[in-house]
Amino acid sequence: MAEPVPPLPSGADFARQGTPSFLTPNANFYRIDTALVVPQVRAEDWTLRVHGMVDSELSLSYDDIRSRPLVERRVTLCCVSNPVGGPYVSTATFVGVELADLLEEAGVRPGARQLFSTSADGWTCGTPVGAALDRERGALLALGMNGEPLPLEHGFPARMVVPGLYGYVSATKWVVDMEVTTWNARRAYWLERDWAREAPVKTQSRVDRPRESATVGLGTVTAAGVAWAQPTGVEAVRVRLDDGPWREADLAADVSDDTWRMWRIDLEITEPGEHRVTCRAVDKSGSAQTGERAPVLPDGATGWHTVAFTAR
Ligand SMILES: Nc1nc2c(c(=O)[nH]1)N[C@H]1C(S)=C(S)[C@@H](COP(=O)(O)O)O[C@H]1N2
Ligand SMILES: [Mo]
């Protein structure tokens, strides 16, 4: 049995107002992988090797992992290639073993900087060793997701999950090998293709309602959406109608600093015609989401999300 997360508080999302559900059902969880065909790895054939700059190499079977103390953790995962307002962000309750436990058991040697992981299909990923070892961050070698074994598409039998880092530097699916090394010794798949080595998640927020190009009636219109700033957490979301003043949105229950937070606000629309709604988040360290536009390459998009709609 896993050490469980507390039950999800009621009011963790504003799904009735148009946000996603707080937990993303596995079938709807976004997917990014380079594999054209999903690797089919049988649990009984799987082993994870931990080696490199360690005192003692580990070679672990699925049963070895499953019989260790398991923990549950709710994490919002997102992709560096997500454009402002985009869909590549989802949340699940993952279950697995603490990555720090495995690495400490192997004994990370001084001077190690990169945890270089490889999947069954040969994809590679470089994670800062410090992030993988940081117990407060709570990286997992995950076996399950939302109460089920990992679906094949999401990395069965095991994958990495590191809160606060974009997936391409942290979330290796079908992971079979972890080499503790330096940055110079190994270059991961997306690093070879001009993406950044360090890729912490950037604070973002999104308008889910009204939808782009929607038509709404005059009067009160409820806008709603999501914001994320893992691992710092979302403190506030501010919303603006057209060029009006920024107003504080209502936030859904605060579940975890590693997960997204839903927002909603009532807008009074008195003028028929075209309108715009824009949102921006503030994280719990007091840093505001920047409005400066940056493209997804090399380390994640920035800018505020604006949705245009019509009232009549
Ligand atoms: N083996 C493998 N793992 C991978 C990838 C991949 O292409 N192959 N893509 C990464 C990227 S870019 C992201 S954003 C996350 C997405 O995980 P998901 O598909 O479960 O949402 O997985 C990461 N792990
Ligand atoms: Mo990604």
Side-chain angles (χ1 to χ4, degrees), residues 30 32 78-81 167-168:
Y30 86 90
I32 305 277
C78 56
C79 185
V80 69
S81 69
Y168 82 106

Side-chain angles (χ1 to χ4, degrees), residues 29-35 39 77-81 88 90 94 118-125 145 150 153-155 159-160 166-175 189-190:
F29 202 99
Y30 86 90
R31 253 188 79 193
I32 305 277
D33 37 64
T34 57
L77 200 64
C78 56
C79 185
V80 69
S81 69
Y88 303 133
S90 301
F94 291 96
T118 305
S119 67
D121 62 320
W123 186 82
T124 57
C125 172
M145 179 178 179
L150 283 177
E153 296 79 7
H154 296 288
R159 76 173 306 167
M160 288 170 46
Y166 285 120
Y168 82 106
V169 293
S170 70
T172 309
K173 302 190 275 188
W174 316 289
V175 64
Y189 184 89
W190 286 115

Side-chain angles (χ1 to χ4, degrees), residues 183-205:
W183 292 111
N184 285 334
R186 293 260 184 259
R187 285 176 66 79
Y189 184 89
W190 286 115
L191 221 66
E192 291 290 342
R193 290 157 179 83
D194 297 334
W195 295 82
R197 186 181 93 182
E198 305 284 336
V201 169
K202 296 180 182 179
T203 299
Q204 267 297 337
S205 57

Side-chain angles (χ1 to χ4, degrees), residues 129-153:
V129 162
L133 281 172
D134 179 5
R135 295 201 173 262
E136 229 173 286
R137 189 180 288 266
L140 290 182
L141 176 71
L143 303 179
M145 179 178 179
N146 292 331
E148 296 170 19
L150 283 177
L152 291 178
E153 296 79 7

Side-chain angles (χ1 to χ4, degrees), residues 40 51 89 111 133 139 149 153 167 190 203 212 224 232 237 254 290 305 311:
Q40 310 254 338
H51 63 109
V89 53
L133 281 172
E153 296 79 7
W190 286 115
T203 299
E212 183 69 34
T232 310
V237 175
D254 193 7
T290 179
H305 187 215

Side-chain angles (χ1 to χ4, degrees), residues 37-236:
V37 179
V38 173
Q40 310 254 338
V41 184
R42 298 185 343 153
E44 52 273 39
D45 298 337
W46 179 86
T47 53
L48 173 66
R49 191 172 160 230
V50 182
H51 63 109
M53 295 172 71
V54 296
D55 295 331
S56 48
E57 267 191 47
L58 305 178
S59 180
L60 300 158
S61 70
Y62 192 68
D63 282 340
D64 291 337
I65 301 282
R66 223 176 20 180
S67 61
R68 287 169 168 257
L70 297 177
V71 294
E72 277 189 334
R73 202 148 285 154
R74 291 194 185 102
V75 181
T76 294
L77 200 64
C78 56
C79 185
V80 69
S81 69
N82 196 35
V84 171
Y88 303 133
V89 53
S90 301
T91 300
T93 305
F94 291 96
V95 62
V97 298
E98 302 267 8
L99 201 49
D101 284 346
L102 294 182
L103 293 174
E104 277 178 12
E105 187 172 319
V108 172
R109 295 227 174 113
R113 293 287 177 269
Q114 177 177 207
L115 180 64
F116 184 83
S117 52
T118 305
S119 67
D121 62 320
W123 186 82
T124 57
C125 172
T127 307
V129 162
L133 281 172
D134 179 5
R135 295 201 173 262
E136 229 173 286
R137 189 180 288 266
L140 290 182
L141 176 71
L143 303 179
M145 179 178 179
N146 292 331
E148 296 170 19
L150 283 177
L152 291 178
E153 296 79 7
H154 296 288
F156 184 86
R159 76 173 306 167
M160 288 170 46
V161 175
V162 186
L165 301 182
Y166 285 120
Y168 82 106
V169 293
S170 70
T172 309
K173 302 190 275 188
W174 316 289
V175 64
V176 292
D177 191 283
M178 292 183 186
E179 180 179 351
V180 179
T181 183
T182 60
W183 292 111
N184 285 334
R186 293 260 184 259
R187 285 176 66 79
Y189 184 89
W190 286 115
L191 221 66
E192 291 290 342
R193 290 157 179 83
D194 297 334
W195 295 82
R197 186 181 93 182
E198 305 284 336
V201 169
K202 296 180 182 179
T203 299
Q204 267 297 337
S205 57
R206 184 179 78 195
V207 179
D208 290 315
R209 284 292 156 79
R211 289 191 196 282
E212 183 69 34
S213 307
T215 299
V216 302
L218 286 173
T220 304
V221 171
T222 303
V226 308
W228 58 92
Q230 60 279 37
T232 310
V234 173
E235 175 70 34

